[in-house]
């Protein structure tokens, strides 16, 4: 009886959901080139390869991957070789365990690692963690050495902390990360809205803002911020669970970002994901850094303008597995012989704890007219 009521509500909600998107064709375009699936049984240095939530390009064919396995926080070094605009091989060369026990300040923190970027100027690495809000463990942004030693922690605004009255969502905090264009700072996005800012996306239209915050590297403090509004849920779930959030960002021009939104609707198996890439323009957006709660102020706040750049459902039939999985990481890649940039994305297989999922890497070609 409960499910029949749920399905009626879902049908009613879905009839109100928006169906039109603005497509950004004036500034950039993306074209699918290839996908590659790392076998589920892959083990490197006696540790299963999985939970790949972030990817970063280091030059040549070298990359970093980060794993969100809470019990063993780590990142990997790997090479991805391309041949004729296809992914030829993916080879893991090193696993680096985060040295959480070397400093007493970090021993009691929760490390749910989600994003990773290396600064090419300093060779130091920034990682983000969602912490554990339910256990009152703060999210964090950490500067890490190439060997995995935690060097320093960025100072985060109070409203992001676990005990804040703004109530950050568990498993919905610091998910996405980008350097700014000159590497003098980083941009960090929450995956979901703070409860004081608005509701999680639903099947009906909601005002669901995530905060994208700029942190200056020299002071490791927040300097400015804008909000980005999430899409409504696109697919009707067959079980009473659905989610949509920002899983990665990349600065692409001054005041412009690529934003990766990943949705999941339960009960649809491996076909429950909806994944899109947007261009977000924050040039006219309100600076919300000093606003601890946004819900009652959204009518006065100008969010970033967003336009749809790429919907992964358009290439589903080109994938060998026919599946767009749980894509969480995004990075620029090498330049193609034609001069265009590449974009690589990685899916988190959750170690197949929620059912069959893929360690999937997708290669796109980025064109600017």
């Amino acid at each position: 009886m409960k499910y029949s009521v749920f399905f009626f509500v879902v049908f009613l909600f879905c009839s109100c959901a928006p169906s039109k998107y603005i497509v950004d064709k004036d500034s950039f375009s993306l074209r699918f080139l290839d996908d590659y699936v790392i076998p589920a049984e892959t083990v490197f240095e006696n540790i299963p390869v999985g939970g790949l939530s972030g990817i970063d390009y280091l030059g040549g064919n070298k990359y970093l991957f980060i794993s969100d396995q809470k019990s063993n926080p780590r990142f990997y070094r790997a090479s991805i070789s391309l041949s004729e605009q296809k992914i030829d091989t993916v080879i893991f060369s090193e696993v680096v365990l985060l040295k959480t026990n070397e400093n007493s300040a970090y021993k009691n923190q929760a490390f749910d690692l989600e994003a990773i970027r290396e600064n090419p100027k300093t060779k130091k690495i920034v990682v983000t963690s969602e912490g554990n809000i339910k256990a009152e463990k703060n999210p964090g942004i950490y500067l890490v050495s190439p060997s995995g030693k935690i060097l320093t922690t960025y100072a985060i605004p109070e409203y992001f902390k676990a005990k804040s009255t703004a109530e950050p969502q568990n498993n919905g905090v610091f998910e996405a990360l980008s350097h700014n264009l000159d590497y003098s700072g980083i941009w960090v996005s929450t995956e979901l809205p703070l409860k004081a800012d608005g509701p999680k996306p639903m099947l009906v239209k909601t005002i669901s803002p995530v905060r994208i915050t700029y942190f200056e590297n020299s002071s490791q403090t927040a300097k400015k911020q804008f909000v980005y509004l999430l899409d409504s849920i696109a697919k009707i779930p067959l079980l009473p669970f659905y989610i949509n959030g920002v899983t990665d960002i990349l600065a692409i021009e001054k005041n412009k970002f690529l934003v990766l939104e990943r949705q999941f609707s339960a009960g649809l198996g491996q076909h429950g994901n909806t994944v899109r890439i947007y261009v977000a323009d924050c040039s006219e957006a309100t600076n919300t850094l000093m606003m601890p709660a946004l819900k009652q102020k959204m009518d006065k706040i100008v969010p970033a303008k967003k336009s749809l750049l790429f919907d992964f459902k358009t290439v589903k039939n080109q994938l060998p597995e026919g599946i767009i999985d749980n894509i969480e990481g995004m990075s620029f890649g090498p330049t193609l012989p034609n001069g265009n940039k590449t974009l690589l994305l990685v899916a988190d297989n959750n170690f197949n704890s929620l059912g069959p999922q893929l360690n999937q890497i997708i290669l796109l070609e980025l064109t600017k007219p």
Side-chain angles (χ1 to χ4, degrees):
M1 187 64 178
K2 290 181 181 178
Y3 286 103
S4 63
V5 171
F6 172 73
F7 290 135
F8 172 77
V9 172
V10 164
F11 176 80
L12 187 64
F13 280 5
C14 190
S15 66
C16 302
S19 59
K20 294 182 179 180
Y21 299 92
I22 299 171
V23 179
D24 190 314
K25 294 182 178 178
D26 296 327
S27 56
F28 304 99
S29 63
L30 284 171
R31 182 171 71 94
F32 172 79
L33 295 179
D34 196 21
D35 91 323
Y36 184 101
V37 176
I38 301 168
E41 65 276 9
T42 300
V43 174
F44 181 74
E45 296 190 0
N46 298 316
I47 300 175
V49 173
L52 302 178
S53 296
I55 180 173
D56 193 37
Y57 178 56
L58 307 182
N61 64 352
K62 304 301 182 184
Y63 293 81
L64 295 175
F65 291 98
I66 201 161
S67 175
D68 67 357
Q69 189 174 38
K70 302 177 184 66
S71 60
N72 194 11
R74 62 190 180 276
F75 58 89
Y76 296 92
R77 298 185 187 278
S79 64
I80 301 177
S81 298
L82 306 184
S83 177
E84 297 182 352
Q85 299 188 2
K86 300 290 183 182
I87 299 174
D88 185 42
T89 56
V90 178
I91 299 173
F92 289 85
S93 58
E94 184 182 9
V95 59
V96 180
L97 304 182
L98 202 65
K99 295 175 173 58
T100 58
N101 293 323
E102 287 191 353
N103 188 321
S104 59
Y106 305 122
K107 286 184 178 179
N108 294 320
Q109 294 187 18
F111 290 92
D112 180 2
L113 303 180
E114 296 292 347
I116 185 166
R117 304 288 179 202
E118 181 182 279
N119 188 320
K121 295 181 177 181
T122 66
K123 302 302 180 184
K124 293 177 182 177
I125 296 166
V126 180
V127 301
T128 66
S129 168
E130 293 191 303
N132 187 332
I133 302 301
K134 287 183 177 178
E136 298 185 343
K137 305 284 187 179
N138 289 331
I141 306 165
Y142 303 96
L143 188 66
V144 177
S145 74
S147 65
K149 180 180 180 180
I150 302 173
L151 302 174
T152 56
T153 305
Y154 284 71
I156 63 174
E158 288 296 318
Y159 44 72
F160 289 135
K161 295 183 178 180
K163 295 181 181 180
S164 166
T165 56
E167 296 186 89
Q169 306 270 3
N170 191 65
N171 203 34
V173 198
F174 297 149
E175 180 78 20
L177 171 66
S178 173
H179 291 295
N180 69 334
L181 296 176
D182 66 359
Y183 298 98
S184 60
I186 56 172
W187 291 89
V188 179
S189 178
T190 57
E191 180 179 3
L192 298 171
L194 307 179
K195 291 181 182 179
D197 292 346
K200 296 178 183 179
M202 298 188 293
L203 288 153
V204 292
K205 184 175 178 57
T206 59
I207 299 176
S208 300
V210 297
R211 296 179 186 244
I212 301 181
T213 309
Y214 174 73
F215 292 83
E216 181 183 69
N217 283 337
S218 58
S219 65
Q220 296 189 322
T221 58
K223 295 298 182 181
K224 55 186 174 181
Q225 182 185 88
F226 66 92
V227 298
Y228 171 93
L229 300 182
L230 294 167
D231 283 356
S232 301
I233 301 298
K235 293 182 179 179
I236 301 174
L238 299 183
L239 293 173
F241 175 78
Y242 46 80
I243 190 170
N244 180 37
V246 170
T247 57
D248 218 343
I249 57 173
L250 282 173
I252 193 166
E253 284 185 350
K254 183 179 180 181
N255 296 322
K256 283 190 176 182
F257 299 81
L258 298 183
V259 179
L260 180 63
E261 283 192 51
R262 185 274 339 266
Q263 301 187 20
F264 177 72
S265 296
L268 302 176
Q270 289 178 291
H271 302 285
N273 293 293
T274 299
V275 184
R276 301 181 177 122
I277 298 175
Y278 286 89
V279 173
D281 184 338
C282 69
S283 57
E284 298 177 3
T286 304
N287 184 353
T288 54
L289 182 63
M290 304 307 293
M291 301 179 186
L294 306 180
K295 190 181 294 185
Q296 308 304 323
K297 302 176 181 178
M298 284 306 299
D299 60 336
K300 298 181 177 64
I301 292 172
V302 178
K305 294 179 181 178
K306 63 185 287 189
S307 52
L308 180 63
L309 183 60
F310 192 79
D311 191 331
F312 281 85
K313 74 177 181 181
T314 62
V315 299
K316 182 178 177 182
N317 294 335
Q318 299 179 53
L319 304 178
E321 302 277 349
I323 296 166
I324 299 295
D325 218 313
N326 180 33
I327 298 176
E328 293 200 355
M330 176 171 64
S331 174
F332 295 117
T335 302
L336 296 170
N338 63 10
N340 289 337
K341 281 285 192 182
T342 54
L343 198 67
L344 285 96
L345 301 103
V346 66
D348 175 1
N349 73 341
N350 290 307
F351 294 95
N352 292 293
S353 60
L354 305 176
Q357 289 186 273
L358 303 176
N359 279 326
Q360 182 179 36
I361 300 173
I362 292 179
L363 175 68
L364 304 176
E365 178 181 10
L366 177 68
T367 303
K368 180 179 178 182

